[in-house]
Amino acid sequence: SDPDDEPASRDLIGVAGLDWRVSAKLYLRWMLQGDTGSDRALTSGLLRYDFAPGSTLYLSFRESRLGVDERVVTEDRVLLGKVSWRVGS
């Protein structure tokens, strides 16, 4: 039997996350996922701030990293922002 044909059952996938309501107006979510089979790590975050009734600011972050020859290479990094503003009463 060829060892390369065996399923990758020894690979470890780990996930850790944080959901935190800092205050009535501020919320934070962060997630980290790692895969030893592909040496890949993914992380994402979301920040939500309700700055006025019906008006919200969102900041979102995502990053993917790959371990290559004992180095860590960033594959992609994305930062997005969004503002929703309530108009009128």
Side-chain angles (χ1 to χ4, degrees):
S1 157
D2 186 358
D4 291 334
D5 292 336
E6 294 181 17
S9 60
R10 296 179 301 272
D11 295 346
L12 176 65
I13 296 175
V15 177
L18 170 71
D19 282 317
W20 185 23
R21 184 110 179 136
V22 179
S23 69
K25 294 184 173 193
L26 185 62
Y27 172 77
L28 175 67
R29 174 184 293 156
W30 198 264
M31 184 177 211
L32 175 64
Q33 179 178 348
D35 180 356
T36 61
S38 65
D39 289 333
R40 178 168 280 132
L42 306 169
T43 185
S44 63
L46 174 70
L47 178 74
R48 175 185 170 165
Y49 179 64
D50 299 324
F51 59 91
S55 300
T56 307
L57 168 71
Y58 297 93
L59 288 176
S60 175
F61 175 78
R62 184 187 78 212
E63 183 176 82
S64 175
R65 292 183 175 197
L66 181 62
V68 178
D69 300 327
E70 299 184 19
R71 295 179 301 129
V72 176
V73 177
T74 300
E75 291 184 307
D76 71 347
R77 185 178 292 150
V78 178
L79 178 64
L80 297 172
K82 174 184 173 184
V83 176
S84 67
W85 190 280
R86 182 177 177 180
V87 178
S89 53

